[in-house]
Amino acid sequence: MTDPYDIAAPVVYDLVLRSRRTVLPDGERPAAVAVAGERIAVIGGYDEPIPAHRTEDLGDLVLMPGLVDTHVHVNEPGRTEWEGFATATRAAAAGGVTTIVDMPLNSLPPTVDTAALAAKRAAAADRLWVDTGFWGGAVPGNDPDRKALHDAGVFGFKCFTAPSGVDEFPPLDTAGLHRACATVAALDALLLVHAEDPAHLHDTPPAVQIDGSQASPKGDFDRFLATRPPEAETSAIREVIAAARATGARVHVLHLAAAEALADIAAAKRDGVRITAETCPHYLTLAAERVPDGDTAFKCCPPIRGEANREALWEGLLNGRIDIVVSDHSPSPPGMKTGDFATAWGGIASLQLGLPVMWTEARRRGLAPADLTRWMSTGPAELVGLDRKGRIRTGADADLVAFDPEHAWTVRAADLLHRHPVTPYDGATLTGKVVSTWLRGAPVDTDAAPRGRRLRRSPR
């Protein structure tokens, strides 16, 4: 029997994962990752002998940190028929996502006070297959509730500058946006902004100039696209920058679709404005020219824009003007996605698919898994201050993903684990498949009992 007080006694770790393609903070290389309890304890050479109760050699599979998705609409409580914690977090785990942060809408009640936050946390109890945090909401009239929400551990506050789509989560006007920025600056919190200027949104598509004459856009999607032009985003983002500049607030632009705003964001960053921005896989991989007419699975707000815009978003991601890539997983019952683009629910369901969707396009561009790790794991974790998430390093949570970068497969919506089989990627051929996911050192089994935890913001 080993003497527990013998300092020469060898350490036996709970798990060692070996991969010739381990994505570490300093790049990709062969390595062995040893896990003790729920944390990464040692990172050694690929062939280094490390005693462990279990050892798995992943060979040429990529070993990367679990994804951190800070933009997920779970919709529970109140609209659980849209999604729910059990289905959303199962889908997340199957897609290599080990941490999500849930949006304050479209649940009922929305997370705009501490009572609603308590209801949200109660609904999530024992239903989480991945670790889950919560955003608070900034809506007209809840100014006095924001400090209490902050103290209760929300990761920041989300607001809209245009109607959100649900009446119980109304937008902030310009004065309300500036007050919200002042509040989060005083708290050293974070304000997330769905930035579209209602002055540039249209109920019906405006006529456009074609060969010198006025004409209406052709096709259902083109008509919808014309109702939400890039100017709606650029105008709102300029106001967000002005509010952040005036108050010193940390602000984050959600789901950037209009590449025209990148110059304003870059200039604000150079000036020291505390602004970050995200985009989503659908804006980086889909294009308006290729949206099938009438296929409302492709509807989201802001909308998917044209091919040239998509290329400009990639340039913004590569040069650091865009900081992170997250899903904006916003599902709804299938009946709400029927009809035409004017009336269908605006949301893309893709939580399980973000990694292979992004890798398929990134691989074509000559990028590496380390690039996706920076945008989809480390960056989102840093945004919300989750220091033990999103990276493979000693002391971090052992949230890990084995990813096969060569596996080609075809998406079948019916096989996905989110509640409703509706996604614009149905039938798409992707490259890259999640093989295994570990949450805090244990493999995630979506057929077993859930182990996910409810997270609270830690003081910076």
Side-chain angles (χ1 to χ4, degrees):
M1 180 176 178
T2 302
D3 182 352
Y5 299 100
D6 181 358
I7 61 173
V11 173
V12 179
Y13 296 98
D14 296 303
L15 171 67
V16 169
L17 297 174
R18 303 178 186 276
S19 168
R20 297 185 186 92
R21 302 191 62 183
T22 304
V23 181
L24 300 171
D26 59 352
E28 181 183 310
R29 59 180 169 84
V33 178
V35 177
E38 298 185 342
R39 305 277 189 89
I40 296 170
V42 169
I43 299 172
Y46 174 75
D47 294 318
E48 184 178 335
I50 303 176
H53 296 295
R54 290 181 296 124
T55 298
E56 294 187 43
D57 192 332
L58 303 174
D60 290 325
L61 296 180
V62 174
L63 180 63
M64 58 194 301
L67 272 59
V68 178
D69 193 336
T70 53
H71 195 151
V72 179
H73 293 269
V74 176
N75 306 333
E76 187 174 12
R79 288 193 175 102
T80 312
E81 72 276 10
W82 292 25
E83 183 59 280
F85 285 107
T87 49
T89 57
R90 278 193 180 103
V97 179
T98 51
T99 303
I100 66 170
V101 186
D102 173 48
M103 283 292 168
L105 75 164
N106 302 299
S107 54
L108 290 170
T111 314
V112 295
D113 55 37
T114 54
L117 176 62
K120 174 85 74 171
R121 284 182 168 144
D126 302 320
R127 292 184 177 92
L128 302 177
W129 269 262
V130 302
D131 288 350
T132 301
F134 306 95
W135 295 110
V139 297
N142 86 323
D143 304 53
D145 298 294
R146 293 173 197 161
K147 184 180 186 305
L149 279 167
H150 178 76
D151 292 343
V154 299
F155 284 85
F157 302 91
K158 178 181 183 176
C159 71
F160 282 73
T161 60
S164 70
V166 290
D167 292 340
E168 68 276 1
F169 203 95
L172 298 178
D173 60 14
T174 299
L177 174 66
H178 281 252
R179 285 197 302 273
C181 280
T183 298
V184 301
L187 296 171
D188 194 21
L190 175 64
L191 184 68
L192 315 178
V193 188
H194 177 126
E196 289 183 287
D197 183 346
H200 292 280
L201 301 179
H202 311 284
D203 293 330
T204 58
V208 295
Q209 287 286 338
I210 300 176
D211 296 329
S213 61
Q214 294 285 327
S216 296
K218 303 298 184 183
D220 190 26
F221 182 76
D222 288 340
R223 288 191 292 272
F224 165 65
L225 188 59
T227 67
R228 303 185 91 97
E231 292 79 11
E233 290 187 74
T234 56
S235 175
I237 288 169
R238 285 171 188 149
E239 192 59 53
V240 171
I241 290 169
R245 192 189 303 274
T247 61
R250 288 180 63 220
V251 295
H252 180 73
V253 176
L254 297 167
H255 45 51
L256 180 68
E260 289 90 332
L262 289 170
D264 290 305
I265 292 170
K269 287 184 175 186
R270 287 194 301 270
D271 290 346
V273 176
R274 302 168 74 193
I275 185 170
T276 50
E278 70 184 37
T279 193
C280 306
H282 41 277
Y283 299 127
L284 294 166
T285 62
L286 304 175
E289 295 89 341
R290 293 182 274 117
V291 173
D293 200 41
D295 191 344
T296 53
F298 288 80
K299 180 179 178 181
C300 55
C301 298
I304 295 162
R305 304 196 186 278
E307 187 68 49
N309 183 85
R310 184 174 80 94
E311 289 299 321
L313 289 177
W314 270 103
E315 183 180 350
L317 187 62
L318 291 167
N319 65 26
R321 296 180 179 185
I322 298 173
D323 300 272
I324 64 173
V325 178
V326 291
S327 70
D328 189 11
H329 178 72
S330 184
S332 66
M336 295 181 65
K337 292 293 282 185
T338 59
D340 60 25
F341 277 94
T343 59
W345 178 257
I348 299 280
S350 64
L351 182 57
Q352 188 172 337
L353 297 172
L355 181 55
V357 164
M358 281 294 293
W359 174 242
T360 300
E361 182 67 18
R363 182 176 185 259
R364 185 181 72 80
R365 294 171 180 269
L367 300 173
D371 296 306
L372 298 193
T373 294
R374 183 170 70 255
W375 297 324
M376 304 179 79
S377 298
T378 310
E382 289 176 346
L383 177 75
V384 295
L386 287 171
D387 297 334
R388 296 208 307 265
K389 303 291 189 183
R391 54 188 62 75
I392 298 178
R393 63 165 175 78
T394 56
D397 287 351
D399 297 345
L400 301 163
V401 174
F403 182 68
D404 184 346
E406 304 298 329
H407 184 98
W409 59 290
T410 300
V411 177
R412 292 184 67 251
D415 294 337
L416 300 177
L417 299 183
H418 61 256
R419 185 174 296 279
H420 299 294
V422 178
T423 180
Y425 301 105
D426 190 25
T429 298
L430 303 178
T431 301
K433 185 93 172 167
V434 172
V435 177
S436 299
T437 303
W438 292 264
L439 176 66
R440 288 179 279 101
V444 178
D445 181 353
T446 56
D447 294 322
R451 302 179 50 252
R453 289 178 179 161
R454 295 168 290 179
L455 302 176
R456 294 173 183 262
R457 174 193 49 80
S458 298
R460 286 182 175 270

